[in-house]
Amino acid sequence: MEISMIRHGKSQWVQSGAVTFREFNQWIENYNSHGIDEEFVCPPETLRKAAEASIVITSDLKRSVESAMLINPHANLISSPLFREVELPAGSMKLFGLKLRPSFWAISLRLLWFGGYSKNCESLRKARLRAKKAAQQLIGYTDQHQSVVLIGHGFFNMLIAKELQKAGWKGERKLGTKHWNCISYSLLE
């Protein structure tokens, strides 16, 4: 039995200039609503895992679903909001028009989130509970399908990986956030 977790393909949405906090909230909406860049090359190992899978699970976000359809258009596909990325806290901070790169806003807000700030999003505790439920669901799929692929999101995939490891699954834990990153887990016997 094997569970492979793949991070979705690169988003079509590209805007690298500095933005205000309010503009960053719009940037996130744009990132979520745009599809993936189909010209981005998917590693052969990721393509192989997707082709061998009996079932492909995705979040219900466009970039996750489109990634699955791109790398395995004939897959038995199941989409669920359970596998969505953990959102970043949002709000209406003015910050005097301070403009920063979107990646800096994302890192700063994720650090604040780890510190307990979760305005307008789920808390770290709730995200961990959701990841545990997601891991249990993936494990359940392996009872019917020997090879399961999840095409999800970088941060939430890491939370699921921790839960799989707690449940006795072994795999490499990679901290990278590259698109199409594939990490496979197998049950320790």
Side-chain angles (χ1 to χ4, degrees), residues 115-129:
Y117 179 70
S118 58
K119 185 174 183 175
N120 299 325
C121 71
E122 72 184 325
S123 67
L124 175 58
R125 184 182 65 78
K126 287 183 180 178
R128 285 181 173 151
L129 290 172

Side-chain angles (χ1 to χ4, degrees), residues 131-151:
K132 184 175 185 171
K133 184 177 178 182
Q136 290 169 345
Q137 192 168 63
L138 290 172
I139 292 167
Y141 284 129
T142 63
D143 290 339
Q144 297 173 309
H145 310 278
Q146 289 298 305
S147 179
V148 175
V149 166
L150 167 66
I151 300 179

Side-chain angles (χ1 to χ4, degrees), residues 37-159:
D37 179 356
E38 293 183 18
E39 293 180 19
F40 193 79
V41 178
C42 187
E45 174 68 8
T46 299
L47 289 172
R48 186 179 67 75
K49 291 290 184 183
E52 292 174 354
S54 303
I55 188 169
V56 176
I57 314 299
T58 71
S59 83
D60 61 342
L61 291 175
K62 187 173 185 173
R63 62 188 179 273
S64 182
V65 174
E66 283 186 5
S67 295
M69 291 170 36
L70 180 66
I71 64 174
N72 189 343
H74 306 291
N76 178 10
L77 185 69
I78 297 175
S79 266
S80 170
L82 177 65
F83 299 99
R84 275 182 168 234
E85 180 64 291
V86 178
E87 294 179 343
L88 293 168
S92 57
M93 293 187 280
K94 297 207 185 208
L95 299 174
F96 309 106
L98 177 66
K99 288 190 168 198
L100 301 169
R101 292 175 50 117
S103 59
F104 187 83
W105 282 120
I107 291 167
S108 300
L109 289 168
R110 185 61 72 206
L111 289 172
L112 286 170
W113 181 78
F114 271 115
Y117 179 70
S118 58
K119 185 174 183 175
N120 299 325
C121 71
E122 72 184 325
S123 67
L124 175 58
R125 184 182 65 78
K126 287 183 180 178
R128 285 181 173 151
L129 290 172
R130 183 166 60 92
K132 184 175 185 171
K133 184 177 178 182
Q136 290 169 345
Q137 192 168 63
L138 290 172
I139 292 167
Y141 284 129
T142 63
D143 290 339
Q144 297 173 309
H145 310 278
Q146 289 298 305
S147 179
V148 175
V149 166
L150 167 66
I151 300 179
H153 307 275
F155 190 78
F156 195 61
N157 281 3
M158 285 192 295
L159 292 178

Side-chain angles (χ1 to χ4, degrees), residues 2-29:
E2 182 179 69
I3 298 170
S4 296
M5 295 191 300
I6 300 169
R7 184 172 188 247
H8 62 80
K10 182 180 178 185
S11 177
Q12 283 179 343
W13 178 249
V14 285
Q15 178 192 0
S16 57
V19 296
T20 65
F21 183 69
R22 177 176 279 163
E23 291 168 340
F24 178 69
N25 289 323
Q26 182 61 49
W27 186 94
I28 290 173
E29 286 182 34

